[in-house]
Amino acid sequence: MFPSKFDYHRPSSVQEAVQILSDNPDAKVLAGGHSLIPVMKLRLATPSALIDIGRIDALKGISRANGSLRIGACVTYNEIANSGVVQDAAPLLAEAAGQIGDRQVRYRGTIGGNLSHADPASDLPAAALALGATLHVSGPNGSRSVSASEFFVDLMMTSLQADEILTEVEISAASAGTGSAYVKFEHPASGYALCGAAAVVTRGAGGSCTGASLCFNGVSATAVSANGVAASLVGSDLSDGAVESAVSNLSIPDAAGDMFASAGYRQELAKAIGAQALRTARDRA
Amino acid sequence: MAGESNGAAGFGSSIRRREDPELITGRAKYTDDLKLAGMVYCTILRSDYAHAGINSIDTSEAEALDGVLGVYTAKDIEASGVPGGVPVGWLLPGLKTPEHFMLAKDTTRYVGDGVAIVVAEDQYTAHDALELIYVDYDPRDGIADPKKATADGAPLVHDDAPNNIAFDWEIGDKESTDAAFANAAHVASLDIVNNRLIPNAMEPRAALADYNDITGELVLYMTTQNPHIHRLLMSLASLGLPEHKIRVIAPEVGGGFGSKIHHYADEAIAAWASMQVGRPVKWTATRTETYITDAHGRDHVTHGEMAIDADGRFIGLRVDTYAAMGAYLSTFAPAVPTYLYGTLMSGEYDLPAIYCHVYGVFTHTVPVDAYRGAGRPEATFIVERLVDEAARVTGIDPVEIRRRNFVAPDNFPYQTQVALAYDSGNYEGALDKALEAIGYDDFRTEQAAAREQGKYLGLGLSTYIEACGLAPSAVVGSLGAQAGQWESAVVRVHATGKVTVYSGCSGHGQGHETTFAQIVASALGVPYDDIDVVEGDTGSMPHGWGTYGSRSAATGGSAIASAAEKVVDKARTIAAHLLEAAEEDIEFEDGNFFVKGSPDQSQSLPDVALQAYLAHNLPKGIEPALEATSFYDPANFVYPFGTHIAIVEVCSQTGNVTLQRYLAVDDVGNVINPMIVDGQVHGGIAQGIGQSLYETAVYDDGANLLSGTMLDYAVPKAHFMPSFETDRTVTPCPHNPLGVKGVGEAGSIASPAAVVNAVVDALSPFGVTHIDMPVTSEKVWNAMK
């Protein structure tokens, strides 16, 4: 690969990384590199410096405490997909991470890089949305938290400030009676989601639905929530008919088309894939 | 064949490929792995415009960059006095051959057209400098659609080719074909687009050129399927160096699929750059460059019609095609949609009247040339789609209508109405074997039951024939080839009885080092491990024409068999002398010569070889040493054929097509190595499935390539494929010494029609009669609405 020239920094703490980032406005944060390096290779991105956060141990842990799952930004897809802790507390995230790219990509790519890059066709954004994840970020003025629903702003744009780094993703551990599913219809070339549906449903004691969420990757400029549609399932028996009827009203605002698939087709895919995700989540609840 | 009992490694054995240990452990050396002392790097600035005038080029900033040795434009190449051409090697009557210079002079004609060259000490600097070259372009309208490009007023690619027509070609008999249609009881008719494909060999093209200005010699390592053709064209058209002063070497070559047959500007540029800077120069394409410079494949817009009589017999076929040539005529481009396409229109059928008309059309796109199958996939697709459409309009089962129209086994040789004479075949044999394996009748029952449950299954047949191993040279020449199509071989038995074989073919993944050694092991009765095969170096072997068009076994393998036979003949003479017997009394078996009836007293081939080299006791008039050279010119093409069957399921909710089964029964004649043949079939099928379901090069209305990366261009992945089922029938080629035919392209020729026929069959309840490739889920979903 023949990128333009750039400086390379390898900080050993988040504070140091934030400092370097503040000092170098044209710098980019490098985690797994699987989105950044290809665009640098094509010289579509020409950062003045890379700040490699891959050696910061504080960004690498998975833990569960007080009903909360915390995943460091530099945890790889592979670690998430295969972590017993994640599989138990947020199986949706593990399932989505296991569908990203191929084995080599999953060994390098990280959750923090994925969410910060905010590719709408990637697999984690909808899962983070559907799980109501909280994203912890650090900047020169300290740390703050952002909910996933406020994090994704537009195509590859997040509410991260230029001098902030995503450090940790926090998710409430799944409660009893909850089932989830991530179903992807993949683009045959990229393997990204032409439409990826993340569904979570909770059944009450009598089996009827007490909570549901449904979010999509790949259909519009950001991962989007269709929780209005999901909410209409609350109180239902979650039968195939109830699911069909709920998704029949699905319409994703600003659905986007490209040369491979039109916006209208993606809307239809969202109905089919969304229903499949809801049915599978129900069966697992 | 002599010595057929050669252990487990002779002709017909599935011995593992001896190439693989080096390849899969990463030890094999490709062009880009090579480093020479003093080597520098070359990059090429390419047009971002499909069509633009060049007002001026400012190279001064790039030249001033540290580490840059030189920046050059077309003017510099012209001033150097070299011919600078990138020629076309197949001429048709009336063919327009606009100038193709190594760099664009005053006009760029496709996104990717070379504009300037940088030579620098390292590759980073060479890439950085490209960004410092400022070209003042005058953007103009471009056009990519080969049919629309012929309309009056369409943007012209070359001023001297009105309506962008490069050639206007026909084959068959228009009058008798029109008459057949006038008398037809039924007519099947289809409009199709045969989608443009991007080759995607795993290894990008590369060249390492080392010019010595004292000796005047150029050594050129490059990614080539045919080093001798490249040497010839480098000498005559591009560089003007004498042919004997150029040595072209093909190190390991990582796939070609046709894309490394052609003579491009880039490798010539590396050589020219070495002549300028007096140092070895390496150029390696980036993957982006392979997308915008490697010759693309297919890209036809076709109308086809089949005339059928009241009994369901085909009485006429009419095909009208607009075939894209791209911006310039690539090396063998004019042959692909003509003599490799129109001549296949009879398929496996006894068709009494055929007429095929083709416009070759310039478009503002990457040039189009041979890509795995080259014309024959396009022909097979339109014929086999029309056969299925004929079945639909007549209400005859697709299997039955094929049976009714096949050339019968006792009707060979069969002269088609489109020049080719099929030498052998047993089409129903392959069909029956395939139908039995797939369980045709059971499938139809299952399909009907599935439909009742809203599940859409489809079965598609492709009963294909292909013509490969183009020959003889005189015929190929009469059709316009500026090349011969014979092949060379040297079989050299060393004094110790070990053997080195040199072939004019040039493998790049086919396994020649294994299969050619198997041929010689059986022919000479020498252990397989005692035989090495050498290819791909114009300095080491006689002229040959390389590897493409499924030709290597039929032409190169036959040349080797013929050279081996000469070796045996000479050795027999020497053995007779040593055994003090008459030559005609000498038998040769398992590598031993002996007098008929006395196998105990024998001379082994190594014994004879030693005596041949010592030359102490040779018969009168016999020269020392033991080797032979053969230049083998086949009598005819070879004609592999077979039946491929695809079974698909279409998802009614998403339109997604899933391949449930794919079965191939191929007849490639005698099989040298069944495992390698299976591998070739698998690869070809995967590529054909790629064309039918996934791959397509997309240009927008302004001729900008939209599918310029692997994010958009869908090279098929392993998990898209079912486990292929393969089988064979064996109808040996009657005219070559091994009875072999070609197999490299069969899969990609047969499979697109099988897959699309299956999808159309699945969608028949929706009244669907055709879907263009690639059959994406959205197209299917729209068709079901």
Side-chain angles (χ1 to χ4, degrees), chain B residues 445-691:
Chain B
T445 311
E446 186 194 341
Q447 179 184 38
R451 272 179 194 166
E452 305 231 322
Q453 295 162 15
K455 194 171 151 191
Y456 297 95
L457 303 178
L459 181 147
L461 290 154
S462 177
T463 47
Y464 78 99
I465 181 167
E466 77 124 326
C468 55
L470 273 66
S473 298
V475 168
V476 178
S478 73
L479 306 180
Q482 306 298 296
Q485 284 291 280
W486 46 267
E487 200 42 81
S488 70
V490 175
V491 173
R492 177 171 298 159
V493 183
H494 302 287
T496 56
K498 312 297 183 195
V499 182
T500 304
V501 180
Y502 299 87
S503 168
C505 294
S506 196
H508 42 282
Q510 289 82 357
H512 294 172
E513 290 174 40
T514 302
T515 50
F516 287 176
Q518 288 182 263
I519 293 172
V520 174
S522 287
L524 298 186
V526 169
Y528 167 81
D529 288 332
D530 288 353
I531 304 159
D532 267 0
V533 175
V534 182
E535 293 183 328
D537 179 354
T538 61
S540 301
M541 64 228 17
H543 191 101
W545 294 99
T547 288
Y548 43 82
S550 306
R551 71 187 298 272
S552 296
T555 62
S558 295
I560 289 167
S562 151
E565 194 184 335
K566 291 183 190 176
V567 164
V568 171
D569 286 348
K570 178 172 178 179
R572 184 193 310 275
T573 305
I574 298 170
H577 178 72
L578 297 172
L579 292 165
E580 298 176 343
E583 212 176 310
E584 53 273 23
D585 292 338
I586 300 293
E587 305 245 299
F588 179 57
E589 223 171 78
D590 287 343
N592 289 307
F593 295 93
F594 53 88
V595 181
K596 226 173 271 179
S598 330
D600 308 345
Q601 281 209 326
S602 70
Q603 288 279 332
S604 72
L605 192 80
D607 293 340
V608 174
L610 184 62
Q611 292 307 319
Y613 277 87
L614 294 175
H616 298 166
N617 179 21
L618 290 181
K620 241 197 177 93
I622 293 296
E623 292 179 350
L626 187 57
E627 68 172 72
T629 301
S630 172
F631 297 94
Y632 177 85
D633 200 357
N636 192 354
F637 291 58
V638 290
Y639 297 98
F641 63 87
T643 294
H644 285 215
I645 300 180
I647 293 182
V648 301
E649 180 179 349
V650 174
C651 172
S652 60
Q653 287 201 302
T654 63
N656 193 40
V657 175
T658 310
L659 269 163
Q660 289 195 334
R661 287 178 74 184
Y662 194 98
L663 179 122
V665 175
D666 295 294
D667 192 317
V668 297
N670 290 330
V671 172
I672 303 168
N673 183 317
M675 179 198 69
I676 286 179
V677 164
D678 283 346
Q680 286 276 26
V681 170
H682 281 223
I685 292 170
Q687 260 171 310
I689 290 173
Q691 168 163 29

Side-chain angles (χ1 to χ4, degrees), chain A residues 216-277:
Chain A
F216 291 98
N217 292 314
V219 184
S220 55
T222 64
V224 292
S225 153
N227 282 343
V229 166
S232 70
L233 282 167
V234 173
S236 80
D237 60 357
L238 288 170
S239 63
D240 286 0
V243 168
E244 275 315 311
S245 150
V247 297
S248 67
N249 297 317
L250 180 67
S251 173
I252 292 178
D254 302 320
D258 60 17
M259 68 173 172
F260 186 76
S262 67
Y265 175 61
R266 280 185 159 91
Q267 290 276 19
E268 292 304 316
L269 269 186
K271 288 180 188 169
I273 302 300
Q276 196 186 332

Side-chain angles (χ1 to χ4, degrees), chain B residues 87-165:
Chain B
V88 58
W90 195 296
L91 302 179
L92 301 172
L95 181 71
K96 295 277 195 302
T97 55
E99 183 190 25
H100 186 190
F101 200 67
M102 277 160 52
L103 287 177
K105 288 181 175 173
D106 53 14
T107 308
T108 68
R109 294 187 169 84
Y110 65 100
V111 173
D113 211 352
V115 172
I117 307 163
V118 171
V119 182
E121 293 281 355
D122 65 84
Q123 31 200 337
Y124 297 93
T125 306
H127 281 272
D128 287 344
L130 291 181
E131 296 182 341
L132 301 175
I133 300 172
Y134 301 99
V135 184
D136 179 12
Y137 285 111
D138 171 23
R140 297 171 191 163
D141 290 340
I143 190 151
D145 181 300
K147 189 170 181 184
K148 290 178 186 158
T150 62
D152 290 338
L156 285 184
V157 181
H158 299 280
D159 292 339
D160 47 356
N163 294 85
N164 290 314
I165 292 171

Side-chain angles (χ1 to χ4, degrees), chain A residues 119-216:
Chain A
D119 187 326
S122 184
D123 297 301
L124 294 188
L129 270 185
L131 292 166
T134 302
L135 312 183
H136 298 285
V137 306
S138 284
N141 304 320
S143 301
R144 67 184 179 101
S145 302
V146 194
S147 71
S149 59
E150 288 167 355
F151 188 73
F152 303 111
V153 175
D154 206 338
L155 185 71
M156 292 173 168
M157 271 180 62
T158 68
S159 57
L160 267 183
Q161 297 302 305
D163 52 5
E164 286 182 323
I165 295 174
L166 173 59
T167 57
E168 198 170 55
V169 179
E170 183 178 354
I171 294 166
S172 300
S175 57
T178 297
S180 66
Y182 182 71
V183 178
K184 170 158 76 165
F185 191 95
E186 71 176 63
H187 187 297
S190 65
Y192 280 84
L194 209 56
C195 174
V200 183
V201 300
T202 308
R203 310 187 83 158
S208 68
C209 179
T210 57
S213 68
L214 179 63
C215 299
F216 291 98

